[in-house]
Amino acid sequence: MANLVEYLKVPSKQYSPMPFWFWNDELSENEIERQMLEMKNKGVEGFVIHPRKGLPKSIPYLSDIYFKYVRFAVSKAKELDMKVVLYDEAMYPSGSCHGEVVRSDAGLASMCLMRTTDNCTSKENTIIAKVTEDGRDVSYVMAPSGGTIRGVHDNEDDGEPYAPKSADLLNPKAVAMFIELTHEKYYKELKDYFGSTVIAFFTDEPNILGRCVEDDVIPWSSGIYEEYIEAGGNKDNLKSLFEKEGRDYQIYKKVIYERLSKAYYKQLERWCVSHNVALTGHPEKSTDIGYLKYFQIPCQDIVWRYVEPEDGHAIEGEHSTMGKCSSDSARHRGVIRNGNECFGCCGRKSDPKIFTQDDMRWYLNWLFVRGVNMIYPHAFYYSIRDGRGDERPPEVGMHNPFWPQYRKLSDYIKRMCYLNTESVNMARVAIICSEEMLSWKLAKPLYTNQIEFNYLERELLDSCNVDHGKLGIAKQEYTVVVSDIKEYEDLTDDQKTVLHDFERSGGRLIIADEDSISGALKSEDVNGDRELRTRWYIDEIRKNSDPDFEFEGDVYDLRFSHLKKDEYEYIFLSNEGLKTIDITISKGISKINKIWDPYTNICIEQAWDKVITIRPYELLVGIING
């Protein structure tokens, strides 16, 4: 067996970061080549061509002159043995082809349902229902949402006069038009590179309504009303859809989910697979795990410091689930790679342009310990001239002060992505989730107690096998399954049967109230305070999962993962806080052969069998064998 540390001294280029390369100024072949050589020299072996605000009108999106530069960049990438991901919009959210879908047919604009007491009939509007509510006549009207996207040229940003119109992503015809105008054009120009140099299309947070829409409307499209009624929705209770509560609202959400899945994601997946490239990118919400099944490289995105080392945001709130969202979807569906579009608007609070190597390492470690194995840095700016660097900073590439040291970062990314690829994390705990909701409250005490877990989509329960107290799916086996009580009540009878078969076979099913972390249905003897209930929760999980490793010391900010890959076995130990921590391994220490720092590629010389010191921004790897 090869020595793992020596093997990764020169890491494989296939695990390279794939930065968003913002084409945001006048382009030239000389400058494109210069920047590509800069990337190559720093160990960046690929990129995403991202048309961006600042692209001059002299280079219209998808025009002949635009494709002149795209063809040059792709042909040069082939020459340099680099990979290219094509971004499918100008600029985002995806789905409108820079407004061309709506320009080609105004009837394909994004639609909404509005609730009004006014007479708002017009040729663009359709009255869905008229009812009496609280003594008033109310009309429910389908109308254009007025939504837009952020464009790439002058006066095309949010609220500006020429912001491109967003398309109706719930309408299969609109999405087919988007594919014809965008993907087919790229294929016509670059088909000789598809499946070799061009490896994927990136779709970015498709938004049904579009941006800059009034708050008092909801997503809609032709046929949605009929599908809502057919699914059991109450035609006399459309008001609840706007109040966002109750059974009818849940039915509506399911209808929208199914329509967007079929109209948008499924069409994109079919086109990409048939053209020998992967569908990559991410849905609109951090918890949208259900849509990821259509991606060959499922992703999420860290943006706006929704996740950060301060204020508990690393393990609290819906955004804290996004790292596991993409990696667990991939694990359970047998998908090799999963990614994250990271660092966008994650600069320092004091100055959003400031983003250091340590800042990048913190975000990378946050992703790696959660299983992400493909990094899309946001972003390398083609130009920072005339304020271009002020658009969604920080710049994390050639214009950043740490660029001369970037090779160290790119090698680190490659090493960690290799370790996370085609490996199995040894989690024995699964948390049941829906297609759009992952419980961070059930997960938080597991993080702070170094209990590894995975989110398991409820729709996958039918694909699981039960055997002697284990719930198996893909390469994972769970001895403990946790479900929030509300999530459990929403399961189908067949899904509940799987869980109860698991329990009868010897597995541990914990049905908990996520707001109190209590085992309400299983532990009537526990009625103390939150701390007591949380302690019971952790003790029950440990007792029934028998973890291989346990830790003592400054463990609150310690994050942990235990993985096997081929003949190798190792653990990740990451300090997610901003203070140095000292820990000891209270269980499993005899398994560790060495402690390795994959950032410096140096084995740690310390009495690590007694105390391990982990500094802020640091992730260490404990080598079990290899």
Side-chain angles (χ1 to χ4, degrees):
M1 178 170 52
N3 181 288
L4 181 60
V5 176
E6 284 299 315
Y7 179 76
L8 287 175
K9 188 173 183 179
V10 181
S12 171
K13 64 172 59 179
Q14 76 183 87
Y15 303 104
S16 168
M18 296 289 290
F20 278 32
W21 187 13
F22 283 2
W23 283 14
N24 63 351
D25 205 338
E26 293 283 355
L27 303 175
S28 76
E29 293 181 352
N30 286 341
E31 182 61 13
I32 288 171
E33 181 176 10
R34 186 193 72 80
Q35 293 193 19
M36 289 177 64
L37 290 172
E38 274 286 305
M39 287 189 251
K40 182 76 174 179
N41 180 258
K42 296 300 188 294
V44 178
E45 305 288 349
F47 48 84
V48 182
I49 296 177
H50 189 340
R52 197 73 182 187
K53 181 182 177 183
L55 192 71
K57 291 185 178 180
S58 60
I59 308 177
Y61 178 59
L62 301 186
S63 64
D64 290 343
I65 187 66
Y66 172 83
F67 273 115
K68 169 189 172 185
Y69 295 115
V70 171
R71 286 192 302 270
F72 176 80
V74 173
S75 64
K76 184 59 64 173
K78 180 179 180 180
E79 179 183 320
L80 296 173
D81 193 22
M82 300 174 77
K83 301 300 181 184
V84 178
V85 172
L86 301 173
Y87 191 83
D88 70 4
E89 191 51 85
M91 165 163 64
Y92 68 89
S94 293
S96 83
C97 187
H98 196 228
E100 285 300 317
V101 171
V102 180
R103 277 190 284 270
S104 68
D105 184 345
L108 299 180
S110 53
M111 305 298 288
C112 69
L113 187 70
M114 64 175 66
R115 179 174 177 267
T116 179
T117 56
D118 297 331
N119 183 6
C120 57
T121 58
S122 75
K123 65 179 183 178
E124 295 180 320
N125 298 345
T126 302
I127 296 177
I128 299 299
K130 287 186 176 183
V131 298
T132 300
E133 295 174 352
D134 303 323
R136 296 189 305 169
D137 291 333
V138 176
S139 295
Y140 288 90
V141 180
M142 181 175 71
S145 71
T148 56
I149 71 166
R150 298 188 70 206
V152 294
H153 303 308
D154 287 343
N155 297 313
E156 291 184 350
D157 209 343
D158 286 340
E160 294 184 338
Y162 301 114
K165 295 291 185 182
S166 56
D168 183 359
L169 306 186
L170 300 178
N171 184 339
K173 293 181 179 179
V175 179
M177 179 66 73
F178 167 58
I179 292 172
E180 179 181 341
L181 293 171
T182 304
H183 299 66
E184 290 290 352
K185 281 189 177 179
Y186 274 107
Y187 185 69
K188 179 181 177 181
E189 298 287 341
L190 303 169
K191 61 183 178 181
D192 291 342
Y193 302 96
F194 269 53
S196 53
T197 302
V198 174
I199 61 171
F201 256 106
F202 194 107
T203 198
D204 201 359
E205 58 186 63
N207 184 320
I208 300 172
L209 290 169
R211 295 169 68 90
C212 303
V213 175
E214 298 293 333
D215 293 334
D216 56 351
V217 300
I218 61 174
W220 208 259
S221 187
S222 296
I224 293 294
Y225 181 66
E226 291 76 14
E227 291 172 21
Y228 165 75
I229 299 300
E230 185 178 348
N234 185 349
K235 63 182 178 62
D236 297 321
N237 191 28
L238 294 176
K239 181 180 179 180
S240 68
L241 311 189
F242 291 78
E243 295 171 343
K244 299 184 178 181
E245 59 184 25
R247 173 181 175 275
D248 290 316
Y249 176 62
Q250 295 304 318
I251 292 173
Y252 160 78
K253 283 206 308 179
K254 185 68 174 177
V255 167
I256 295 297
Y257 169 79
E258 294 293 345
R259 176 68 82 87
L260 187 62
S261 295
K262 295 174 183 176
Y264 189 80
Y265 291 106
K266 190 63 179 177
Q267 283 204 75
L268 264 62
E269 179 198 30
R270 286 173 177 165
W271 190 93
C272 288
V273 169
S274 68
H275 289 76
N276 202 27
V277 292
L279 175 61
T280 190
H282 60 89
E284 183 182 10
K285 294 197 315 178
S286 297
T287 54
D288 275 337
I289 193 170
Y291 295 127
L292 295 184
K293 64 187 174 186
Y294 299 104
F295 290 79
Q296 288 71 59
I297 307 175
C299 299
Q300 275 293 346
D301 69 328
I302 294 179
V303 68
W304 292 112
R305 288 185 74 91
Y306 289 149
V307 172
E308 61 180 359
E310 302 89 3
D311 302 324
H313 292 164
I315 53 174
E316 293 181 357
E318 64 173 320
H319 302 295
S320 70
T321 67
M322 73 169 71
K324 296 287 287 174
C325 180
S326 64
S327 65
D328 293 350
S329 173
R331 285 186 177 109
H332 292 141
R333 296 183 184 278
V335 174
I336 294 174
R337 304 295 295 272
N338 80 96
N340 197 280
E341 172 197 335
C342 42
F343 317 138
C345 302
C346 288
R348 298 286 178 91
K349 291 180 178 178
S350 58
D351 184 343
K353 291 185 181 180
I354 296 177
F355 193 76
T356 66
Q357 292 180 69
D358 282 344
D359 293 325
M360 183 177 285
R361 286 177 68 191
W362 187 91
Y363 281 101
L364 288 171
N365 294 346
W366 188 93
L367 293 167
F368 292 146
V369 80
R370 287 162 174 80
V372 174
N373 61 17
M374 191 163 187
I375 301 299
Y376 290 103
H378 180 298
F380 286 19
Y381 288 58
Y382 181 91
S383 170
I384 59 172
R385 181 178 67 87
D386 294 340
R388 284 169 169 78
D390 298 332
E391 194 267 313
R392 299 297 192 263
E395 205 280 350
V396 298
M398 291 167 278
H399 303 287
N400 190 295
F402 62 52
W403 182 245
Q405 292 80 45
Y406 199 89
R407 184 61 184 246
K408 193 172 184 179
L409 284 164
S410 65
D411 282 353
Y412 178 56
I413 290 169
K414 292 173 189 173
R415 291 185 186 112
M416 293 303 298
C417 287
Y418 167 83
L419 293 175
N420 268 338
T421 300
E422 296 189 284
S423 57
V424 180
N425 77 328
M426 305 307 291
R428 294 167 186 160
V429 181
I431 297 178
I432 300 297
C433 66
S434 69
E435 64 270 8
E436 60 173 2
M437 186 56 63
L438 291 71
S439 174
W440 66 266
K441 293 179 181 179
L442 293 176
K444 179 181 175 181
L446 303 188
Y447 280 127
T448 58
N449 285 275
Q450 294 74 52
I451 297 175
E452 193 160 19
F453 72 94
N454 292 328
Y455 286 111
L456 176 61
E457 297 166 69
R458 61 188 181 191
E459 74 170 53
L460 290 175
L461 284 171
D462 295 336
S463 303
C464 294
N465 59 77
V466 174
D467 183 37
H468 294 88
K470 294 180 180 179
L471 186 74
I473 181 170
K475 297 179 180 179
Q476 307 294 148
E477 288 187 335
Y478 303 113
T479 60
V480 179
V481 175
V482 181
S483 177
D484 174 58
I485 186 169
K486 295 176 183 176
E487 192 71 59
Y488 175 80
E489 290 171 348
D490 286 338
L491 297 177
T492 66
D493 289 342
D494 287 344
Q495 291 166 346
K496 289 178 182 177
T497 296
V498 172
L499 293 181
H500 292 303
D501 287 346
F502 161 71
E503 190 174 33
R504 282 190 292 270
S505 77
R508 182 64 166 105
L509 173 62
I510 299 176
I511 302 172
D513 177 355
E514 70 168 9
D515 290 322
S516 64
I517 316 295
S518 71
L521 300 186
K522 297 292 177 182
S523 59
E524 290 77 4
D525 57 321
V526 178
N527 7 332
D529 60 17
R530 183 185 298 272
E531 182 178 352
L532 181 60
R533 292 190 295 265
T534 302
R535 190 179 307 131
W536 174 89
Y537 175 67
I538 293 301
D539 288 346
E540 278 296 295
I541 290 175
R542 277 205 173 117
K543 180 172 66 176
N544 290 278
S545 64
D546 189 23
D548 295 317
F549 294 88
E550 292 182 7
F551 305 87
E552 294 178 354
D554 305 324
V555 299
Y556 185 86
D557 289 320
L558 175 66
R559 304 293 173 259
F560 163 78
S561 182
H562 175 198
L563 302 105
K564 290 183 178 180
K565 175 184 173 73
D566 300 325
E567 69 268 34
Y568 302 121
E569 188 173 350
Y570 39 87
I571 62 173
F572 295 165
L573 301 172
S574 177
N575 180 357
E576 214 152 84
L578 295 175
K579 295 180 180 179
T580 296
I581 61 176
D582 292 318
I583 65 157
T584 58
I585 303 178
S586 56
K587 179 181 179 182
I589 184 63
S590 62
K591 299 180 180 182
I592 304 297
N593 294 327
K594 62 173 79 80
I595 299 289
W596 170 54
D597 182 344
Y599 183 65
T600 61
N601 198 36
I602 295 173
C603 288
I604 304 300
E605 299 294 337
Q606 64 176 48
W608 51 265
D609 57 334
K610 296 179 180 178
V611 176
I612 301 174
T613 298
I614 310 178
R615 293 181 292 272
Y617 315 108
E618 192 168 57
L619 182 151
L620 302 178
V621 177
I623 308 294
I624 296 171
N625 55 31

